[in-house]
Amino acid sequence: MSVGERVLITGGAGFVGSHLADALARQGCRVVLFDNLEPQVHGGEGGRPEYLDRDHELVIGDVRDPDTLGPRVREAEVVVYLAAMVGVGQSMYQVRRYTEVNTLGAANLLQILVDDPGQVRKLLVASSMSIYGEGAYTCPEHGPVAPRLRPPEQLAARAWEPRCSGCGVELTPLPTDEDKPLFPTSIYAINKRDHEEMFLAFAHAYRIPAVALRFFNIYGSRQALSNPYTGVAAIFSGRMLAGKPPLVFEDGRQLRDFVHVSDVVRACELAIERPEADYQALNVGSGRPMSVLEVADALAGELGWAGGVEITEKFRAGDIRHCFADITRIQRLLGYAPKMAFADGVGELVSWVARQQGVPDTVAEATRQLTARGLAR
Ligand code: UD1
């Protein structure tokens, strides 16, 4: 990045976008944030979020609208495409809305660039671990395998661990690398795979370098607490602060990769600055597996919560058992090294959550919506 470089961030008023904007501005970039201030994320009032630095220019608009997005793209040298509807469960009953906003939004940006590429030298697009479906595993008999979703009968019997399709033995999870076959299990995940493939295909054809970053479970300050589809760490801390035990799905031993937003921002900066990852998709995680129960424990320790958790033994349609990142490729290509230990990152998340006031508890209503459609049992 050079001082004065113009960076357009779609979804820039959100959790990741606003942190990235702060970091880029500190390096002397001129950032423009393009965002529709989606009420589910930003609350009903629709005003400029308080956490947004006053010096960042904010353009309120819809990524599907060429008349508002076009002029901003033509002023930019770098475009970071983070705008998306992000509720995995919600995408399963708002199928058209998700696909319109996510897929057509990205198509609109690429069409603008076809018509007039302006001075754009780099594209960055947010992809997601959700495109993998289940993570990578190994079978003692058959070696490395990439299982599909657990069959409904198995889940109904509350047998949570994925099994080998060849011999039925319980599988052992492995770090997931970028070559694992993609089995997206939700409309949201399919939209994200589309994002990645659309940007990379476009980049190859027009020789505008693009990088797709497959974000794992990001946590940290500015996570939208009013959004019931925000990540589990924010949901759990909100519940504990409200005096309610976290609701744990399955048995809580499912593994994820929790990566702090500051490490995600660093990965974005490296992908913007350096050419080594151009035209590729890379995992962005911490590289450390962590169970949902361990997350709850760490939060309870931070908040002094002694009320325990409620293990529901329920599950959501499309939920995977384990997925955590193999970060070898991004380490090798970009020199990325995650810095924030979960024990420290959790403090930063909790101090943010504790400062939020009057946040409506929307999780119960969201769960009702899923249950009514048979998407949570
Ligand atoms: C999903 C998406 C991911 C997206 C993220 C946040 C998949 C495979 N991945 O991840 O791309 O970034 O949502 O939108 O779909 N859990 C509870 N109690 C709760 C909430 C969640 O136990 O109240 C459990 C879930 O069952 C899951 C884990 O916590 O096992 C993590 O859930 P969540 O934070 O929603 O993220 P993912 O489903 O991993």
Side-chain angles (χ1 to χ4, degrees):
M1 264 115 28
S2 48
V3 172
E5 191 160 51
R6 297 184 302 268
V7 184
L8 174 67
I9 308 178
T10 72
F15 166 41
V16 176
S18 66
H19 280 292
L20 177 61
D22 293 350
L24 293 174
R26 278 196 295 275
Q27 297 208 38
C29 295
R30 284 164 45 199
V31 291
V32 175
L33 313 180
F34 189 94
D35 204 297
N36 72 337
L37 301 180
E38 165 64 41
Q40 183 163 298
V41 175
H42 294 280
E45 295 82 46
R48 186 185 172 103
E50 265 174 37
Y51 56 68
L52 221 53
D53 190 301
R54 280 168 194 281
D55 291 338
H56 302 330
E57 185 185 348
L58 172 65
V59 178
I60 299 176
D62 189 309
V63 279
R64 290 167 294 178
D65 177 11
D67 294 337
T68 40
L69 187 62
R72 299 310 176 157
V73 173
R74 282 186 277 277
E75 289 162 5
E77 289 152 275
V78 174
V79 178
V80 182
Y81 197 90
L82 304 178
M85 297 284 298
V86 297
V88 175
Q90 192 174 41
S91 76
M92 299 305 285
Y93 61 90
Q94 295 188 359
V95 177
R96 192 172 58 212
R97 181 164 176 233
Y98 267 72
T99 305
E100 276 175 5
V101 173
N102 292 345
T103 309
L104 290 184
N108 187 38
L109 170 73
L110 299 181
Q111 189 65 53
I112 289 166
L113 289 170
V114 170
D115 296 343
D116 180 0
Q119 295 155 49
V120 172
R121 69 157 184 93
K122 176 83 71 139
L123 297 169
L124 203 65
V125 63
S127 182
S128 160
M129 54 79 83
S130 64
I131 69 175
Y132 288 119
E134 274 295 348
Y137 291 80
T138 185
C139 165
E141 177 86 5
H142 296 96
V145 287
R148 301 297 188 104
L149 279 186
R150 296 162 290 177
E153 318 77 71
Q154 179 187 335
L155 292 171
R158 271 57 189 162
W160 304 120
E161 294 301 331
R163 299 200 181 126
C164 178
S165 60
C167 61
V169 162
E170 276 191 13
L171 298 169
T172 306
L174 296 175
T176 297
D177 71 21
E178 291 85 350
D179 296 330
K180 196 200 85 73
L182 306 180
F183 299 131
T185 61
S186 66
I187 299 295
Y188 165 76
I190 292 166
N191 295 161
K192 280 287 155 184
R193 188 188 61 189
D194 281 355
H195 271 182
E196 183 173 313
E197 292 182 348
M198 289 165 77
F199 273 75
L200 294 180
F202 172 88
H204 276 288
Y206 288 90
R207 303 316 291 170
I208 300 178
V211 183
L213 294 176
R214 294 180 180 166
F215 296 146
F216 277 65
N217 295 66
I218 311 175
Y219 71 98
S221 57
R222 305 182 188 168
Q223 247 177 315
L225 298 182
S226 59
N227 184 357
Y229 299 99
T230 199
V232 67
I235 292 176
F236 280 4
S237 38
R239 297 244 341 154
M240 290 178 192
L241 281 162
K244 295 185 240 173
L247 299 175
V248 173
F249 299 139
E250 304 191 14
D251 60 358
R253 295 182 198 285
Q254 59 272 41
L255 299 172
R256 292 292 187 278
D257 184 319
F258 291 89
V259 58
H260 190 260
V261 65
S262 56
D263 286 321
V264 170
V265 162
R266 189 64 200 132
C268 292
E269 288 180 308
L270 289 166
I272 294 172
E273 269 164 33
R274 298 176 51 161
E276 290 89 341
D278 291 354
Y279 307 102
Q280 298 198 49
L282 297 176
N283 286 342
V284 181
S286 69
R288 288 180 315 248
M290 196 167 187
S291 74
V292 168
L293 285 180
E294 286 174 306
V295 170
D297 272 356
L299 289 165
E302 186 69 32
L303 287 164
W305 168 257
V309 298
E310 192 179 319
I311 301 199
T312 64
E313 297 239 316
K314 289 193 172 168
F315 59 92
R316 302 179 299 192
D319 255 352
I320 55 151
R321 180 64 176 171
H322 306 298
C323 190
F324 50 95
D326 180 329
I327 54 172
T328 313
R329 193 169 296 175
I330 189 167
Q331 283 175 319
R332 178 168 49 83
L333 290 176
L334 296 179
Y336 163 80
K339 292 205 169 67
M340 185 73 93
F342 192 77
D344 299 327
V346 121
E348 195 260 2
L349 169 68
V350 160
S351 63
W352 150 260
V353 175
R355 287 198 307 275
Q356 307 312 300
Q357 279 166 4
V359 177
D361 182 357
T362 49
V363 173
E365 172 55 20
T367 307
R368 209 182 58 73
Q369 295 277 354
L370 294 180
T371 310
R373 293 173 174 84
L375 298 172
R377 287 162 230 230

